[in-house]
Amino acid sequence: MRVLLVEDDAGVADALTQGLRGSGWTVRHAATGRDAVAALTPDTDLVLLDMGLPDHDGLWVCARIRETSSVAIVALTARRAEASVVAALRAGVDDYVVKPYSLAVLLARMDAVARRAGTRPDPAPAVDAGFELDTAARRVRTPDGDVGLTAKECELLAALLRHAGRPVSRAALMEEVWDTAWIGASRTLDVHVGTLRAKLGAQVVETVRGVGYRLVPVAER
């Protein structure tokens, strides 16, 4: 597995590189936002992105990456405020690790994100959803063209597709797509539903009050 580590602190970068390589990851390092965008290659499996960089904010870096790639991104930051978490998720990060953290926790988060980003059998909805989900490519094929998804957007849409036309509880979605032990997962679910609506149309995912969400069949839109 290949990771791009974006970290401007040389001491932190060296320590992380050693720990990651000791756990089987191949590491490429970039110290600035511009270097990170330039260093991203098609074979990169995951990006560890420090949100406080000397030349550009991590949100800028994330936005540039998302213009061309759906690679999994894990944000590393000391910013704990909810607004910072929401901004990062809306920018396209797949997980958010707050400093200080242990290497064991970081590796577990990376493994979880990489696992969710891996290939799974595509769901076969019982009703016409109006589009086709390609989980391997993390793309939605619609009559108007293809739409790229982040790793977690793809996982969430796949979960909704498996129950297309029926409500899925928030608890079930959080358990399937995120580790329920992650405090703030409920808010993250809402954010990712919002990004799916922005990409596919507000009418595609319906809020079922008191329950959760429902993928609306094309015949009902």
Side-chain angles (χ1 to χ4, degrees), residues 15 34 42 45 48 70 77 96 101 111 118 127 144 153 155 209 217:
R34 288 195 177 277
D45 295 299
L48 285 179
S70 59
T77 179
Y96 193 96
Y101 52 82
D111 286 343
V127 297
D144 297 324
E153 287 170 353
E155 189 77 7
R209 184 169 298 180

Side-chain angles (χ1 to χ4, degrees), residues 5-218:
L5 171 61
V6 188
E7 171 60 65
D8 65 310
D9 187 309
V12 172
D14 287 344
L16 263 181
T17 297
Q18 291 181 25
L20 293 169
R21 286 176 175 165
S23 299
W25 287 83
T26 298
V27 183
R28 182 185 295 114
H29 174 236
T32 68
R34 288 195 177 277
D35 287 347
V37 174
L40 185 69
T41 57
D43 65 349
T44 302
D45 295 299
L46 188 144
V47 176
L48 285 179
L49 177 60
D50 181 18
M51 300 302 284
L53 297 168
D55 59 340
H56 289 288
D57 186 89
L59 296 177
W60 180 91
V61 179
C62 189
R64 300 290 80 73
I65 290 175
R66 286 288 173 251
E67 289 175 355
T68 59
S69 174
S70 59
V71 65
I73 301 175
V74 176
L76 306 178
T77 179
R79 304 170 186 174
R80 297 174 177 269
E82 182 182 84
S84 297
V85 178
V86 170
L89 292 169
R90 289 193 183 280
V93 306
D94 297 285
D95 205 345
Y96 193 96
V97 180
V98 178
K99 302 176 182 179
Y101 52 82
S102 70
L103 179 61
V105 168
L106 177 60
L107 288 169
R109 290 287 183 84
M110 292 171 65
D111 286 343
V113 168
R115 185 169 61 250
R116 294 183 187 112
T119 303
R120 283 191 174 190
D122 291 344
V127 297
D128 183 8
F131 56 81
E132 177 186 347
L133 175 63
D134 184 343
T135 55
R138 285 192 228 150
R139 302 194 72 79
V140 173
R141 295 190 171 93
T142 76
D144 297 324
D146 288 3
V147 179
L149 302 175
T150 67
K152 284 192 175 179
E153 287 170 353
C154 184
E155 189 77 7
L156 175 58
L157 186 57
L160 289 167
L161 267 173
R162 280 189 280 273
H163 305 277
R166 292 175 288 145
V168 187
S169 71
R170 297 175 65 86
L173 290 170
M174 288 162 55
E175 182 175 355
E176 186 168 349
V177 183
W178 291 274
D179 296 330
T180 55
W182 178 18
I183 297 174
S186 181
R187 175 58 176 160
T188 301
L189 170 61
D190 297 336
V191 171
H192 280 77
V193 167
T195 60
L196 283 178
R197 286 169 170 163
K199 291 182 176 183
L200 302 177
Q203 74 279 11
V204 172
V205 181
E206 176 186 55
T207 300
V208 182
R209 184 169 298 180
V211 180
Y213 294 102
R214 182 178 81 105
L215 186 75
V216 180
V218 68

